Amino acid sequence: DEIDRLTQHFNQMSKKIVQQLSTLKKQDEARCEMVANISHDLRTPLAALHGYIETLILKQASLTAEQQQHYLKSALNNGVRLSQLIDELFELARLESAETKAKMEPFSIAELASDVIQQYAPIASEQNNRLSMECFEAPPFVSADIGMIQRVLENLISNGLRHTENGAVVLSLSKEHETINVRIKDTGLGMAETELNNIYQRFYRINNPERSGDNSGLGLAIVKRIMELHQIEIVVESALGEGTCFSFQLPVVNV
């Protein structure tokens, strides 16, 4: 009996070790893939930035003032894109750190949503999109990390505007029992069902260059991680030609 028990313990340990090795292998593969993706995404704007500056240095005498201005603006745009990508990489790394926790506090989701709408109103206007907010009268306070929820709203609205042209993006708030339902819906081209399974992956971009633009592919990964820190589910509904809708629920709190 003792030998049988010892054998069982050894078999259990062996299985556990194999599982741990398998997990480490998958983590290592994921890490290698992430490094490759980061390298590619950093290299693209960096190479463009280098190219524009090098052209200015070598051909400055033969370039018109208008051409020089064009190269400088292009170099600046790539510098901004590179900076945004690095910021988002650091943000995602910080959110995935074991020390990062959501700091719960009561706040007005209606005021926060209104501020974010005003923040993105000029961008929507430039794109000929209508950006609006719908909510019932005097919605109650909710409990969440206000900074993180602001980031979620910013990323979702930015995502909606990026994939919508001459349409509308609407942020709506509605009360359901003891929660506030937050919805960000756009009238863009929508996504196929196969794409919905991948949108929260790092560096994933919809297979359409015109719609992806300079998107880093990290915005929705950041949203997903913030929702996980709040232990809240985020739901996405979309279909080609019918737009996309993201929604999540925040608990109501009495103040």
Side-chain angles (χ1 to χ4, degrees):
D1 291 341
E2 290 181 358
I3 293 177
D4 288 339
R5 287 196 295 270
L6 187 61
T7 301
Q8 289 177 357
H9 284 308
F10 271 114
N11 289 337
Q12 290 173 356
M13 289 176 60
S14 177
K15 290 180 180 179
K16 189 173 182 180
I17 291 172
V18 170
Q19 290 174 349
Q20 290 176 338
L21 287 174
S22 177
T23 300
L24 288 172
K25 182 179 179 181
K26 290 179 180 178
Q27 290 176 344
D28 188 56
E29 290 174 351
R31 190 178 298 109
C32 290
E33 182 181 358
M34 185 176 71
V35 170
N37 287 330
I38 291 173
S39 299
H40 175 269
D41 280 68
L42 291 176
R43 191 182 297 117
T44 302
L46 189 60
L49 181 63
H50 179 271
Y52 285 121
I53 294 175
E54 186 177 42
T55 301
L56 277 171
I57 293 173
L58 296 176
K59 299 183 178 181
Q60 184 176 10
S62 61
L63 294 173
T64 65
E66 185 178 350
Q67 289 174 323
Q68 291 182 29
Q69 190 72 7
H70 169 72
Y71 282 118
L72 285 171
K73 285 183 178 180
S74 298
L76 177 61
N77 289 337
N78 279 279
V80 170
R81 179 185 173 192
L82 188 62
S83 177
Q84 290 174 340
L85 177 59
I86 292 172
D87 288 344
E88 288 188 341
L89 284 168
F90 275 114
E91 181 180 9
L92 186 57
R94 177 180 59 81
L95 289 170
E96 292 183 339
S97 170
E99 290 77 24
T100 300
K101 308 292 182 184
K103 299 178 181 178
M104 311 300 283
E105 60 179 313
F107 65 92
S108 171
I109 183 63
E111 290 184 8
L112 178 63
S114 178
D115 289 343
V116 176
I117 289 292
Q118 292 179 20
Q119 176 185 341
Y120 281 88
I123 299 174
S125 179
E126 290 176 2
Q127 299 173 344
N128 294 320
N129 284 320
R130 299 183 305 279
L131 178 60
S132 61
M133 174 178 164
E134 297 177 352
C135 71
F136 58 94
E137 185 177 354
F141 277 42
V142 297
S143 177
D145 187 308
I146 185 171
M148 289 186 181
I149 297 302
Q150 178 177 347
R151 188 63 169 142
V152 168
L153 297 181
E154 290 172 347
N155 283 5
L156 293 178
I157 289 176
S158 175
N159 184 77
L161 292 173
R162 184 182 301 113
H163 300 302
T164 304
E165 185 177 354
N166 297 319
V169 177
V170 180
L171 190 163
S172 62
L173 305 175
S174 59
K175 191 172 186 299
E176 297 183 9
H177 303 294
E178 295 303 315
T179 63
I180 299 295
N181 188 36
V182 184
R183 298 173 74 250
I184 294 90
K185 188 178 188 313
D186 65 64
T187 59
L189 296 178
M191 294 177 283
E193 186 176 352
T194 53
E195 291 176 320
L196 295 179
N197 297 325
N198 301 314
I199 58 173
Y200 297 117
Q201 294 181 11
R202 296 189 191 103
F203 303 104
Y204 180 78
R205 296 180 181 87
I206 293 175
N207 189 23
N208 187 329
E210 294 182 1
R211 295 167 65 192
S212 297
D214 293 333
N215 177 28
S216 67
L218 292 173
L220 292 181
I222 290 172
V223 168
K224 183 67 171 179
R225 180 54 186 160
I226 289 175
M227 291 291 98
E228 289 173 350
L229 289 171
H230 283 80
Q231 297 183 344
I232 292 174
E233 180 184 8
I234 183 166
V235 178
V236 57
E237 300 172 278
S238 186
L240 287 175
E242 298 180 9
T244 301
C245 178
F246 289 91
S247 63
F248 59 92
Q249 294 182 330
L250 297 174
V252 170
V253 62
N254 295 321
V255 292

